[in-house]
Amino acid sequence: MSRSSSPSGSGLHCPPPDTGSHSPRVLMGHGGGGLLTQQLIRRVFLAAFGATVQAETDAAIVSVPGDRQAFTTDSFVVRPLFFPGGSIGDLAINGTVNDLAMVGSMPRFLAASFVIEEGLPVAELQQIAHDMATAAAAAGVQIVAGDTKVVERGCGDGVYITTTGIGELRPGIALAASRVQLGDILLVSGTIGDHGMAILKVREDLGFEAAITSDTAALHGLTAAILTCCPKTRLLRDPTRGGLATCLAEIAEQTGRGLEIDEASVSVAPEVAAACELLGLDPWLVANEGKLVAIVPAEDAEAVLQSMRDHPLGQEAAMIGRVVDDHPGRVVATTPLGGRRLVPMPVGELLPRIC
Amino acid sequence: MSRSSSPSGSGLHCPPPDTGSHSPRVLMGHGGGGLLTQQLIRRVFLAAFGATVQAETDAAIVSVPGDRQAFTTDSFVVRPLFFPGGSIGDLAINGTVNDLAMVGSMPRFLAASFVIEEGLPVAELQQIAHDMATAAAAAGVQIVAGDTKVVERGCGDGVYITTTGIGELRPGIALAASRVQLGDILLVSGTIGDHGMAILKVREDLGFEAAITSDTAALHGLTAAILTCCPKTRLLRDPTRGGLATCLAEIAEQTGRGLEIDEASVSVAPEVAAACELLGLDPWLVANEGKLVAIVPAEDAEAVLQSMRDHPLGQEAAMIGRVVDDHPGRVVATTPLGGRRLVPMPVGELLPRIC
């Protein structure tokens, strides 16, 4: 059957109209797959990500050495899009880089997909893309593939970004819950609760002055230092959504081991602690975006601690506890006064849309 | 600094409360990263995807043979979530499988990330996950990684799904716009416009009775048949958002070659053509989700056509045009009466949120 008459048909030499191509805000038409979409991709994403994006084919071709690859995805819906210490762009890169790093891989390639709400200022999208490019360059990863969709006003909230990453697995490294053994030592790379409180402070317009900034950072360099120092490292995890408490509770559940944590050894920055006190929040439940938990054999713990402290992102690292015979599958915190307290996994949300 | 008092703290032997775990609708708490999130993942995603999902680690470990891999991502924001012939679940699998197939790879692993609007019935999410699992099994891909986020009512529209895939590249296949040569033949695998009109019909409650169903399908089997028949195939593309016209215009632009298309050879199902006439829409601009365009050397065109027609998804395949010396970078359609018409790339959206 032949083609119907085309409402957008034009003469052979009629150049395409330019409607909307310089709009200061994202239009529904930017998601239609036509010229406007191409222009948005060029103006925002290719301008920021440069030649690494393989925009002309349906799929990018990448080369990841080794028999096995690490593969992970995360959607980022943080509100607001910009906050002290970073933006959704930084988070979207660092979050996926960190998930790749936590399984002992070196992050190599990222794909980034955008669900944009109609009306988002193009300048904000450009800033976000710029932040992503900067974070990707810092993490040594290439953004090679992407997608852009636009939804109507009231069907989104600025922009949601999903990043998916492929990492190159280090030979000789096998991180797994099943490898955690009695007597192993737990370390944390620094203060906890910074990211979540930075978001909450800016979002809720809290009435205090203390500067709290997100700790968003790419941790692959720190994990490399740990794994180089101690190839027998059992497990690495980043305590993001749900905070340190959720991370520890998951480890206990997955390993079936008891974890005993010395409360006093877990650092919280004074301004974060003060804000938590004010709001009645537990910093152990507040999200981090640039911290990790490592579990290592006891005999290597001192050396790993030193290797972490020698890294810019681990200067405040500390040993916080150990794997014990008691209370299998549960986390117990010991207080400075000798008390013992179960650290449960939180049920629902503490802070929505923190990442 | 020691831990603040925990508002969710409880005694050592107090079991976690069960609030919300059997809610018939998705709650904000399902996105918090705690127990509710775990329960949603188990109840919906692990129940559907089974053991392929590596839910306990930050990143999945996959094994894709070869020196190079195909890698692609797409967000799906189709409205409504269910439509004649499929759902957002089918689309999210088939769309990414097809992008992998179009670069000549065999789709192997998928990651799926969900941005869910608070209030979505859990039963709908379960149906979508079921559709994804069925489509993934049919396409021979494993869903190995995922993420779940929840946004407030009015900040989403049911659910948005981003899928990202890794494919195994076939040795000896090199599909690229730069390989398209003068005299090459263009083929299309079947009727066009089915998916977009199926969505539009159900969305706009159009006043006609004809059954129009989406053509959503995984095309990796059809691409395998084409590439086996003709390893020298130049280019494969699936004409999704923006339809056949956008696909052809992009090919012309990227190759710098002129494309001459015989209008009469492009099939449109009678009910789709009738609906397009009624609405003043051009079926060449309407999205497809289970069709492909192939460009092959002229000497192989007949054999490729036969190999396509021998496949269930290519029974109505046709040669539709060729690569010409004239009008480089542009697509010209020749009409049955001998007329010639430029096929421009559409500017903005024809139909929003079609995929």
Side-chain angles (χ1 to χ4, degrees):
Chain A
M1 180 166 299
S2 74
R3 188 180 190 198
S4 300
S5 65
S6 163
S8 65
S10 54
L12 262 176
H13 301 292
C14 176
D18 195 44
T19 322
S21 66
H22 293 91
S23 163
R25 291 182 179 272
V26 175
L27 311 171
M28 285 305 292
H30 282 120
L35 271 179
L36 276 179
T37 304
Q38 280 193 2
Q39 287 166 354
L40 186 74
I41 290 170
R42 285 180 190 148
R43 188 173 156 201
V44 176
F45 301 115
L46 295 184
F49 305 152
T52 63
V53 177
Q54 298 173 33
E56 296 204 335
T57 56
D58 288 297
I61 307 297
V62 299
S63 181
V64 187
D67 293 338
R68 300 178 312 148
Q69 296 83 27
F71 185 41
T72 190
T73 195
D74 257 332
S75 288
F76 295 85
V77 300
V78 66
R79 181 166 55 85
L81 299 175
F82 300 91
F83 46 81
S87 73
I88 191 173
D90 301 290
L91 278 192
I93 301 297
N94 293 338
T96 291
V97 161
N98 290 348
D99 281 348
L100 292 173
M102 293 308 134
V103 298
S105 78
M106 284 302 287
R108 293 296 184 218
F109 299 101
L110 293 187
S113 195
F114 299 81
V115 176
I116 306 168
E117 186 187 17
E118 178 188 18
L120 180 72
V122 172
E124 288 193 19
L125 199 57
Q126 286 172 319
Q127 180 61 50
I128 289 164
H130 170 81
D131 292 347
M132 293 176 75
T134 304
V141 294
Q142 291 184 9
I143 301 168
V144 293
D147 186 37
T148 305
K149 294 282 170 19
V150 181
V151 295
E152 300 87 346
R153 277 176 204 269
C155 290
D157 194 9
V159 61
Y160 301 141
I161 304 175
T162 302
T163 51
T164 308
I166 304 182
E168 179 180 349
L169 283 168
R170 245 171 256 279
I173 301 294
L175 300 165
S178 60
R179 296 186 60 249
V180 172
Q181 294 176 26
L182 196 63
D184 285 349
I185 299 294
L186 287 92
L187 302 99
V188 165
S189 62
T191 58
I192 62 163
D194 301 78
H195 174 71
M197 285 312 300
I199 297 290
L200 194 65
K201 182 165 181 289
V202 62
R203 193 155 74 194
E204 307 297 342
D205 193 21
L206 300 180
F208 54 87
E209 286 304 308
I212 302 177
T213 59
S214 169
D215 59 343
T216 179
L219 294 168
H220 63 295
L222 183 58
T223 59
I226 293 169
L227 294 171
T228 300
C229 173
C230 175
K232 288 191 290 183
T233 296
R234 317 294 196 197
L235 203 60
L236 297 171
R237 288 285 165 86
D238 56 339
T240 55
R241 185 170 51 160
L244 179 66
T246 302
C247 177
L248 295 175
E250 282 180 357
I251 292 172
E253 185 183 305
Q254 291 170 17
T255 59
R257 305 272 185 182
L259 304 183
E260 189 172 283
I261 308 297
D262 169 21
E263 271 201 13
S265 66
V266 177
S267 292
V268 183
E271 55 275 19
V272 172
C276 283
E277 286 284 355
L278 194 70
L279 298 168
L281 293 174
D282 178 355
W284 287 38
L285 291 170
V286 179
N288 311 278
E289 291 289 341
K291 298 295 167 5
L292 63 78
V293 171
I295 304 184
V296 301
E299 65 267 27
D300 297 324
E302 276 293 347
V304 169
L305 178 64
Q306 196 53 55
S307 75
M308 291 170 76
R309 288 186 172 165
D310 288 344
H311 191 279
L313 294 175
Q315 291 174 16
E316 297 177 79
M319 294 189 212
I320 61 162
R322 62 203 178 93
V323 179
V324 296
D325 223 0
D326 289 343
H327 50 84
R330 296 191 165 217
V331 183
V332 170
T334 57
T335 66
L337 298 177
R340 289 162 58 81
R341 206 163 42 72
L342 181 73
V343 180
M345 183 175 295
V347 175
E349 54 167 340
L350 179 65
L351 305 170
R353 297 183 51 194
I354 212 72
C355 61
Chain B
M1 182 167 296
S2 72
R3 188 180 190 196
S4 300
S5 63
S6 163
S8 66
S10 54
L12 262 175
H13 301 290
C14 175
D18 195 44
T19 322
S21 66
H22 292 92
S23 164
R25 292 182 180 271
V26 175
L27 311 171
M28 285 304 293
H30 282 121
L35 271 179
L36 276 179
T37 303
Q38 278 193 4
Q39 287 166 354
L40 186 75
I41 289 170
R42 285 179 190 150
R43 187 174 157 200
V44 176
F45 301 114
L46 295 184
F49 305 151
T52 63
V53 176
Q54 299 174 32
E56 295 203 338
T57 56
D58 288 297
I61 306 299
V62 299
S63 180
V64 187
D67 293 338
R68 299 179 313 146
Q69 296 83 27
F71 185 41
T72 190
T73 195
D74 257 334
S75 288
F76 296 85
V77 299
V78 66
R79 180 167 54 87
L81 299 176
F82 300 91
F83 47 81
S87 73
I88 190 173
D90 300 291
L91 278 192
I93 300 298
N94 293 337
T96 291
V97 161
N98 291 348
D99 281 347
L100 292 173
M102 294 307 135
V103 298
S105 79
M106 285 302 287
R108 293 295 182 221
F109 299 101
L110 292 187
S113 195
F114 299 81
V115 176
I116 306 168
E117 186 188 15
E118 180 188 18
L120 180 73
V122 171
E124 287 193 20
L125 199 58
Q126 286 172 320
Q127 181 61 49
I128 289 164
H130 170 80
D131 292 347
M132 293 177 76
T134 305
V141 294
Q142 291 184 12
I143 301 168
V144 293
D147 186 37
T148 305
K149 294 282 167 25
V150 181
V151 296
E152 300 87 347
R153 277 177 206 269
C155 291
D157 193 10
V159 60
Y160 302 140
I161 304 176
T162 301
T163 51
T164 308
I166 305 182
E168 179 180 348
L169 283 168
R170 246 171 254 280
I173 301 294
L175 300 165
S178 60
R179 296 186 61 249
V180 171
Q181 294 176 27
L182 196 63
D184 285 350
I185 299 295
L186 286 93
L187 301 99
V188 165
S189 62
T191 58
I192 62 163
D194 300 78
H195 174 71
M197 285 312 299
I199 297 290
L200 195 63
K201 183 166 180 291
V202 63
R203 195 155 72 193
E204 306 297 341
D205 193 20
L206 300 180
F208 55 86
E209 284 304 307
I212 302 177
T213 58
S214 169
D215 59 344
T216 178
L219 294 168
H220 62 296
L222 183 59
T223 59
I226 293 168
L227 294 171
T228 301
C229 172
C230 175
K232 286 191 292 183
T233 296
R234 316 295 196 195
L235 202 60
L236 297 170
R237 289 284 166 87
D238 56 339
T240 55
R241 186 170 50 159
L244 180 66
T246 302
C247 177
L248 294 175
E250 282 180 357
I251 293 172
E253 186 182 306
Q254 290 170 18
T255 59
R257 305 273 186 183
L259 304 182
E260 189 172 281
I261 308 297
D262 170 21
E263 270 201 14
S265 66
V266 177
S267 292
V268 182
E271 56 276 19
V272 172
C276 283
E277 285 285 353
L278 194 70
L279 297 169
L281 293 175
D282 178 354
W284 286 38
L285 291 171
V286 179
N288 311 279
E289 291 290 341
K291 299 296 166 7
L292 64 78
V293 172
I295 304 184
V296 301
E299 63 268 25
D300 298 325
E302 276 293 348
V304 169
L305 179 64
Q306 197 52 56
S307 75
M308 290 170 78
R309 288 186 171 164
D310 288 344
H311 191 278
L313 294 176
Q315 291 174 16
E316 297 177 79
M319 295 189 212
I320 62 162
R322 60 201 179 94
V323 179
V324 296
D325 224 1
D326 289 344
H327 50 82
R330 293 187 168 221
V331 183
V332 170
T334 58
T335 67
L337 298 178
R340 289 163 58 80
R341 204 164 43 71
L342 181 72
V343 180
M345 182 175 295
V347 174
E349 54 167 340
L350 180 63
L351 304 170
R353 298 185 49 193
I354 213 71
C355 61

